[in-house]
Amino acid sequence: YINSIQSIKKDIKQSKTTVDDFANEVTDFLKSKGLKVELGKRLAGVDLDLFVQNKGQLYAIDLVGFPGVFQSTLPIEKYNTLNRMNIKIVVLSFSLWSSELEKSQTTLLQKIGKT
């Protein structure tokens, strides 16, 4: 039982570290382009993976596809709430980011108006 609990804790810790690495990698990339980025913020009851501001427009970047904290997409109700607040939502897939990094980065910059 104790070994099982320790194994679960180890898996959770590794998962959070890897997810944080993905989120941090995206954050570092956006910051290198001169953008203001906040990681893991809550706005109007919505937990945002990344929050980016560019040319006065606010963007929520929804990191999806990697097991852990940022795996799932936002529920449709949350998308609607953010849209009413004039916050644009960009979904960023971990699998695409890891397999086609340059394409993902270019597309992300286009979606947030930083080209």
Side-chain angles (χ1 to χ4, degrees):
Y1 175 77
I2 292 174
N3 289 337
S4 175
I5 296 294
Q6 289 173 339
S7 175
I8 291 170
K9 286 182 180 179
K10 181 180 177 186
D11 290 344
I12 290 170
K13 184 177 181 181
Q14 287 174 339
S15 176
K16 285 183 179 178
T17 300
T18 306
V19 170
D20 289 346
D21 288 346
F22 172 44
N24 287 332
E25 188 175 325
V26 175
T27 299
D28 291 345
F29 168 71
L30 292 170
K31 285 182 176 181
S32 76
K33 300 300 179 184
L35 296 164
K36 180 181 177 185
V37 183
E38 294 185 57
L39 178 62
K41 292 292 180 178
R42 186 172 184 88
L43 180 68
V46 180
D47 292 319
L48 303 172
D49 301 336
L50 294 174
F51 190 58
V52 181
Q53 186 172 4
N54 184 37
K55 301 176 187 172
Q57 176 64 53
L58 302 176
Y59 299 87
I61 299 179
D62 191 10
L63 303 175
V64 297
F66 193 90
V69 179
F70 299 127
Q71 177 180 4
S72 62
T73 60
L74 292 170
I76 191 69
E77 302 84 26
K78 303 299 183 180
Y79 277 90
N80 292 337
T81 299
L82 293 170
N83 280 326
R84 283 192 297 272
M85 297 172 63
N86 196 32
I87 297 174
K88 296 185 180 185
I89 300 140
V90 178
V91 177
L92 182 60
S93 162
F94 174 76
S95 61
L96 186 60
W97 182 266
S98 59
S99 66
E100 298 183 48
L101 180 61
E102 190 174 313
K103 180 179 179 180
S104 294
Q105 290 174 335
T106 301
T107 301
L108 178 59
L109 291 175
Q110 288 171 345
K111 288 184 177 183
I112 61 174
K114 184 74 175 176
T115 53

